Amino acid sequence: MAVTIRGYRPDDLETIYEICLLIGDNGKDATPLFRERRILGDLYAGAYGRFAPELAFTAEDEQGVCGFTLGVLDTEGFDARLEREWWPALRRRYRDPGDIPPDQRNADERAANLIHHPPLMSRDVLAAYPSHLHIDVLPRLQGLGVGGRLMQTLLDALRAAGSAGVHLVVSAGNPRAIGFYRHVGFEELARDARSLTLGKRL
């Protein structure tokens, strides 16, 4: 099955949002968990197509877009731009669940909390790994090298743009993804009960 890696196009965005939902439960279909079907895309994908399209790449086969990787050269600057230009509209759309105890929040409320209170990467990590990325591939093409090709395409682009290093955050409950990242050269930088921060020098 031929898979093409190409640059992002604006008409890819809806499919990218669908992919976010289809693997949003630690690599499994999160559709049953979310009433708000666009919230994961709003949280993890939409801003990259809008503000950093030159570092967005998709994998496409005969059935259409089947995976993507999204990157940012300067995480600190990107986060500041999101605070000005991306989060405000979403905070009006999705209610802040701050009055609900964290252990009682549903999936939509947990995602909305990240929109209202986005975590910021530590200055120590950003000093050595100023860029960051997200990558998703549909299950039907996982294990076939598509993720590796997407990753290499983005790493090459970040390196060419002058990045010294790139980091990502992965759920501690997604061992397959963690294994993939380690396989392509990422090392653990930090962890907590829910997630790992991994980094790769460029």
Side-chain angles (χ1 to χ4, degrees), residues 115-138:
I115 289 171
H116 283 270
H117 311 282
L120 299 177
M121 187 51 60
S122 74
R123 289 290 182 91
D124 288 343
V125 170
L126 293 179
Y129 306 90
S131 305
H132 76 268
L133 65 84
H134 298 287
I135 183 170
D136 284 335
V137 177
L138 287 175

mmCIF file of all heavy atoms in Angstrom, residues 115-138:
data_model
loop_
_atom_site.group_PDB
_atom_site.id
_atom_site.type_symbol
_atom_site.label_atom_id
_atom_site.label_comp_id
_atom_site.label_asym_id
_atom_site.label_seq_id
_atom_site.Cartn_x
_atom_site.Cartn_y
_atom_site.Cartn_z
ATOM 1 N N ILE A 115 -7.608 23.401 28.171
ATOM 2 C CA ILE A 115 -7.801 24.603 27.364
ATOM 3 C C ILE A 115 -7.794 25.846 28.247
ATOM 4 O O ILE A 115 -7.197 26.871 27.912
ATOM 5 C CB ILE A 115 -9.110 24.493 26.557
ATOM 6 C CG1 ILE A 115 -8.930 23.454 25.436
ATOM 7 C CG2 ILE A 115 -9.545 25.836 25.996
ATOM 8 C CD1 ILE A 115 -10.207 23.086 24.704
ATOM 9 N N HIS A 116 -8.430 25.740 29.403
ATOM 10 C CA HIS A 116 -8.482 26.887 30.317
ATOM 11 C C HIS A 116 -7.186 27.052 31.111
ATOM 12 O O HIS A 116 -6.844 28.175 31.509
ATOM 13 C CB HIS A 116 -9.664 26.738 31.269
ATOM 14 C CG HIS A 116 -10.975 27.064 30.632
ATOM 15 N ND1 HIS A 116 -11.516 28.323 30.631
ATOM 16 C CD2 HIS A 116 -11.842 26.271 29.948
ATOM 17 C CE1 HIS A 116 -12.668 28.312 29.982
ATOM 18 N NE2 HIS A 116 -12.896 27.084 29.552
ATOM 19 N N HIS A 117 -6.483 25.949 31.320
ATOM 20 C CA HIS A 117 -5.264 25.985 32.135
ATOM 21 C C HIS A 117 -4.169 25.160 31.447
ATOM 22 O O HIS A 117 -3.765 24.113 31.950
ATOM 23 C CB HIS A 117 -5.546 25.434 33.539
ATOM 24 C CG HIS A 117 -6.754 26.040 34.183
ATOM 25 N ND1 HIS A 117 -6.740 27.297 34.761
ATOM 26 C CD2 HIS A 117 -8.034 25.582 34.298
ATOM 27 C CE1 HIS A 117 -7.940 27.583 35.229
ATOM 28 N NE2 HIS A 117 -8.754 26.562 34.958
ATOM 29 N N PRO A 118 -3.698 25.614 30.294
ATOM 30 C CA PRO A 118 -2.720 24.814 29.535
ATOM 31 C C PRO A 118 -1.410 24.674 30.304
ATOM 32 O O PRO A 118 -0.884 25.667 30.834
ATOM 33 C CB PRO A 118 -2.532 25.618 28.246
ATOM 34 C CG PRO A 118 -2.969 27.005 28.576
ATOM 35 C CD PRO A 118 -4.042 26.867 29.601
ATOM 36 N N PRO A 119 -0.894 23.460 30.393
ATOM 37 C CA PRO A 119 0.394 23.283 31.078
ATOM 38 C C PRO A 119 1.519 23.877 30.236
ATOM 39 O O PRO A 119 1.487 23.824 29.008
ATOM 40 C CB PRO A 119 0.517 21.763 31.187
ATOM 41 C CG PRO A 119 -0.316 21.232 30.057
ATOM 42 C CD PRO A 119 -1.444 22.199 29.888
ATOM 43 N N LEU A 120 2.505 24.448 30.901
ATOM 44 C CA LEU A 120 3.656 25.024 30.224
ATOM 45 C C LEU A 120 4.894 24.188 30.532
ATOM 46 O O LEU A 120 5.089 23.744 31.667
ATOM 47 C CB LEU A 120 3.874 26.467 30.665
ATOM 48 C CG LEU A 120 2.726 27.436 30.372
ATOM 49 C CD1 LEU A 120 3.045 28.816 30.931
ATOM 50 C CD2 LEU A 120 2.436 27.506 28.874
ATOM 51 N N MET A 121 5.707 23.989 29.513
ATOM 52 C CA MET A 121 6.915 23.200 29.706
ATOM 53 C C MET A 121 7.930 23.984 30.532
ATOM 54 O O MET A 121 8.014 25.207 30.448
ATOM 55 C CB MET A 121 7.516 22.849 28.339
ATOM 56 C CG MET A 121 8.685 21.876 28.394
ATOM 57 S SD MET A 121 8.344 20.373 29.360
ATOM 58 C CE MET A 121 6.949 19.690 28.437
ATOM 59 N N SER A 122 8.720 23.277 31.320
ATOM 60 C CA SER A 122 9.693 23.921 32.194
ATOM 61 C C SER A 122 10.779 24.617 31.376
ATOM 62 O O SER A 122 11.128 24.192 30.267
ATOM 63 C CB SER A 122 10.334 22.889 33.126
ATOM 64 O OG SER A 122 11.246 22.074 32.406
ATOM 65 N N ARG A 123 11.311 25.678 31.937
ATOM 66 C CA ARG A 123 12.392 26.420 31.282
ATOM 67 C C ARG A 123 13.623 25.528 31.086
ATOM 68 O O ARG A 123 14.361 25.693 30.109
ATOM 69 C CB ARG A 123 12.749 27.647 32.109
ATOM 70 C CG ARG A 123 11.684 28.737 32.093
ATOM 71 C CD ARG A 123 11.614 29.407 30.726
ATOM 72 N NE ARG A 123 10.637 30.471 30.692
ATOM 73 C CZ ARG A 123 10.888 31.747 30.975
ATOM 74 N NH1 ARG A 123 12.104 32.094 31.366
ATOM 75 N NH2 ARG A 123 9.944 32.657 30.893
ATOM 76 N N ASP A 124 13.867 24.610 32.004
ATOM 77 C CA ASP A 124 15.018 23.721 31.875
ATOM 78 C C ASP A 124 14.912 22.861 30.614
ATOM 79 O O ASP A 124 15.898 22.683 29.894
ATOM 80 C CB ASP A 124 15.140 22.820 33.106
ATOM 81 C CG ASP A 124 15.597 23.583 34.340
ATOM 82 O OD1 ASP A 124 16.127 24.695 34.181
ATOM 83 O OD2 ASP A 124 15.418 23.060 35.452
ATOM 84 N N VAL A 125 13.728 22.315 30.368
ATOM 85 C CA VAL A 125 13.539 21.516 29.156
ATOM 86 C C VAL A 125 13.648 22.398 27.916
ATOM 87 O O VAL A 125 14.328 22.062 26.938
ATOM 88 C CB VAL A 125 12.179 20.787 29.190
ATOM 89 C CG1 VAL A 125 11.862 20.163 27.828
ATOM 90 C CG2 VAL A 125 12.183 19.711 30.271
ATOM 91 N N LEU A 126 13.013 23.567 27.946
ATOM 92 C CA LEU A 126 13.011 24.430 26.769
ATOM 93 C C LEU A 126 14.396 24.938 26.421
ATOM 94 O O LEU A 126 14.688 25.199 25.247
ATOM 95 C CB LEU A 126 12.062 25.608 26.992
ATOM 96 C CG LEU A 126 10.571 25.270 27.084
ATOM 97 C CD1 LEU A 126 9.762 26.541 27.331
ATOM 98 C CD2 LEU A 126 10.094 24.574 25.819
ATOM 99 N N ALA A 127 15.275 25.069 27.396
ATOM 100 C CA ALA A 127 16.625 25.555 27.125
ATOM 101 C C ALA A 127 17.368 24.630 26.162
ATOM 102 O O ALA A 127 18.116 25.086 25.299
ATOM 103 C CB ALA A 127 17.399 25.707 28.421
ATOM 104 N N ALA A 128 17.152 23.331 26.300
ATOM 105 C CA ALA A 128 17.852 22.365 25.453
ATOM 106 C C ALA A 128 16.975 21.802 24.345
ATOM 107 O O ALA A 128 17.488 21.352 23.314
ATOM 108 C CB ALA A 128 18.383 21.216 26.314
ATOM 109 N N TYR A 129 15.651 21.832 24.549
ATOM 110 C CA TYR A 129 14.712 21.239 23.591
ATOM 111 C C TYR A 129 13.600 22.257 23.309
ATOM 112 O O TYR A 129 12.451 22.086 23.738
ATOM 113 C CB TYR A 129 14.112 19.954 24.160
ATOM 114 C CG TYR A 129 15.142 18.947 24.622
ATOM 115 C CD1 TYR A 129 15.613 18.961 25.936
ATOM 116 C CD2 TYR A 129 15.656 18.000 23.743
ATOM 117 C CE1 TYR A 129 16.564 18.054 26.369
ATOM 118 C CE2 TYR A 129 16.610 17.077 24.172
ATOM 119 C CZ TYR A 129 17.053 17.112 25.478
ATOM 120 O OH TYR A 129 18.004 16.201 25.894
ATOM 121 N N PRO A 130 13.902 23.328 22.600
ATOM 122 C CA PRO A 130 12.945 24.433 22.459
ATOM 123 C C PRO A 130 11.754 24.120 21.561
ATOM 124 O O PRO A 130 10.730 24.803 21.649
ATOM 125 C CB PRO A 130 13.794 25.550 21.853
ATOM 126 C CG PRO A 130 14.883 24.827 21.108
ATOM 127 C CD PRO A 130 15.192 23.630 21.946
ATOM 128 N N SER A 131 11.871 23.124 20.710
ATOM 129 C CA SER A 131 10.778 22.771 19.800
ATOM 130 C C SER A 131 9.936 21.659 20.413
ATOM 131 O O SER A 131 10.358 20.974 21.347
ATOM 132 C CB SER A 131 11.345 22.312 18.451
ATOM 133 O OG SER A 131 12.210 23.291 17.904
ATOM 134 N N HIS A 132 8.715 21.468 19.883
ATOM 135 C CA HIS A 132 7.919 20.322 20.310
ATOM 136 C C HIS A 132 7.088 19.795 19.145
ATOM 137 O O HIS A 132 6.998 20.442 18.094
ATOM 138 C CB HIS A 132 7.036 20.654 21.515
ATOM 139 C CG HIS A 132 5.825 21.461 21.201
ATOM 140 N ND1 HIS A 132 5.805 22.833 21.245
ATOM 141 C CD2 HIS A 132 4.555 21.101 20.833
ATOM 142 C CE1 HIS A 132 4.597 23.277 20.925
ATOM 143 N NE2 HIS A 132 3.818 22.245 20.674
ATOM 144 N N LEU A 133 6.506 18.618 19.339
ATOM 145 C CA LEU A 133 5.740 18.007 18.261
ATOM 146 C C LEU A 133 4.625 17.128 18.797
ATOM 147 O O LEU A 133 4.625 16.703 19.951
ATOM 148 C CB LEU A 133 6.652 17.188 17.329
ATOM 149 C CG LEU A 133 7.350 15.936 17.892
ATOM 150 C CD1 LEU A 133 6.449 14.689 17.861
ATOM 151 C CD2 LEU A 133 8.626 15.652 17.125
ATOM 152 N N HIS A 134 3.671 16.855 17.897
ATOM 153 C CA HIS A 134 2.647 15.826 18.081
ATOM 154 C C HIS A 134 2.668 14.938 16.840
ATOM 155 O O HIS A 134 2.932 15.414 15.737
ATOM 156 C CB HIS A 134 1.248 16.433 18.213
ATOM 157 C CG HIS A 134 1.065 17.332 19.384
ATOM 158 N ND1 HIS A 134 0.980 16.869 20.680
ATOM 159 C CD2 HIS A 134 0.949 18.675 19.472
ATOM 160 C CE1 HIS A 134 0.819 17.886 21.498
ATOM 161 N NE2 HIS A 134 0.787 19.001 20.793
ATOM 162 N N ILE A 135 2.374 13.665 17.016
ATOM 163 C CA ILE A 135 2.284 12.755 15.877
ATOM 164 C C ILE A 135 1.199 11.724 16.152
ATOM 165 O O ILE A 135 1.093 11.213 17.269
ATOM 166 C CB ILE A 135 3.642 12.072 15.592
ATOM 167 C CG1 ILE A 135 3.572 11.174 14.353
ATOM 168 C CG2 ILE A 135 4.151 11.311 16.809
ATOM 169 C CD1 ILE A 135 4.935 10.674 13.878
ATOM 170 N N ASP A 136 0.364 11.447 15.148
ATOM 171 C CA ASP A 136 -0.685 10.431 15.251
ATOM 172 C C ASP A 136 -0.774 9.676 13.928
ATOM 173 O O ASP A 136 -0.714 10.290 12.853
ATOM 174 C CB ASP A 136 -2.050 11.068 15.534
ATOM 175 C CG ASP A 136 -2.209 11.521 16.973
ATOM 176 O OD1 ASP A 136 -1.523 10.962 17.854
ATOM 177 O OD2 ASP A 136 -3.020 12.427 17.222
ATOM 178 N N VAL A 137 -0.957 8.373 14.015
ATOM 179 C CA VAL A 137 -1.156 7.527 12.832
ATOM 180 C C VAL A 137 -2.310 6.581 13.139
ATOM 181 O O VAL A 137 -2.376 6.001 14.229
ATOM 182 C CB VAL A 137 0.108 6.719 12.484
ATOM 183 C CG1 VAL A 137 -0.145 5.795 11.303
ATOM 184 C CG2 VAL A 137 1.284 7.652 12.176
ATOM 185 N N LEU A 138 -3.230 6.431 12.201
ATOM 186 C CA LEU A 138 -4.359 5.527 12.410
ATOM 187 C C LEU A 138 -3.874 4.098 12.637
ATOM 188 O O LEU A 138 -2.864 3.672 12.058
ATOM 189 C CB LEU A 138 -5.295 5.576 11.203
ATOM 190 C CG LEU A 138 -6.138 6.843 11.062
ATOM 191 C CD1 LEU A 138 -6.922 6.801 9.748
ATOM 192 C CD2 LEU A 138 -7.103 6.995 12.228
#
